[in-house]
Each structure stands twice: as C-alpha cells, then as structure tokens.
Amino acid sequence: MTAIAKFGAIALDSADPRGLGKFYRALLDFEVRYESDDLVVLQGGGVLLTVERVEDHKRPDWPGNEVPKQMHLDLFVTDLDSAEQAAIDCGAIKADFQPAPDRWRVLIDPSGHPFCLTIPAGAA
C-alpha cells in the first residue's frame, strides 16, 4: 500500500502561541523554524511541533472530559486534491469550514477528530 500522506507535525491549540512555543522550545530544546502571533513552528528530533492560535481556547480539564484535550495532526502531502479524495475514500469527512483551502484542507476522522492535509512550507 502506498501512503496517502507523510506525517507532518503535531499541532497544539493555544490562546498564546508565542508563550506556549517558548515553553516547548525550552522543554524540548527544539529550534524555532517560524514564529508569529498566530503560529509557532518548532523542530527537533525529526519532529515538527506547531502551536496555533485559537482565540476562544479553553484549557482541558484533565482528567475530566468536559473540555477535552486539544490537538490535531498536520499531514504533509504533495497534492491537496488527490490526498483529500484518498482520505475521504479511507473514511474521512471534509469539514464544512475550510480556513485556507489553497494551503491546507481540514478533514474529520471517523471518531470526529480534525486533521489537516497540507503542503509543507517551501515545497514546490
């Protein structure tokens, strides 16, 4: 079987991407690849960790589940349209809201978890 996508990044939601990015940079000794008020991209040990702004972010109430844990996968692809269709064929559902469909596609896995198909930065 040929893979549809390549694992891209673990994405964490936060009201303060710079603050959370600073925490994980220190904790993991990762390098900053990109930083803005809305997105921080860290890299280390062959892994990308992104911290993405969510304005109305609510902290998970671990170990409860009233506010569940928040994260999603970014999966790198070479062609958004074909990867989207292949993921749908595997059982994903395309999310109604697509914030930047020319750069990434949001899909929902069979258990309701969102994930993104995206072309990696710098890819042709």
Side-chain angles (χ1 to χ4, degrees), residues 3-63:
I4 295 165
K6 178 181 175 187
F7 180 79
I10 298 167
L12 303 173
D13 294 346
S14 176
D16 178 17
R18 287 186 191 267
L20 192 58
K22 182 178 178 181
F23 167 79
Y24 277 106
R25 183 174 63 229
L27 183 70
L28 301 171
D29 194 29
F30 277 15
E31 293 182 36
V32 176
R33 292 295 182 206
Y34 176 83
E35 186 173 26
S36 74
D37 289 338
D38 294 320
L39 175 68
V40 174
V41 179
L42 304 173
Q43 184 175 21
V47 173
L48 282 179
L49 176 69
T50 66
V51 184
E52 302 175 11
R53 177 177 300 285
V54 172
E55 290 298 332
D56 60 351
H57 179 264
K58 294 182 180 37
R59 295 175 57 92
D61 64 346
W62 179 263

Side-chain angles (χ1 to χ4, degrees), residues 66-101:
E66 190 170 315
V67 179
K69 298 168 285 303
Q70 301 123 10
M71 63 179 288
H72 68 268
L73 298 177
D74 285 341
L75 304 176
F76 290 166
V77 300
T78 55
D79 180 274
L80 285 171
D81 293 329
S82 63
E84 175 185 305
Q85 187 57 54
I88 289 169
D89 291 346
C90 288
I93 298 168
K94 186 174 181 177
D96 290 334
F97 177 64
Q98 297 291 323

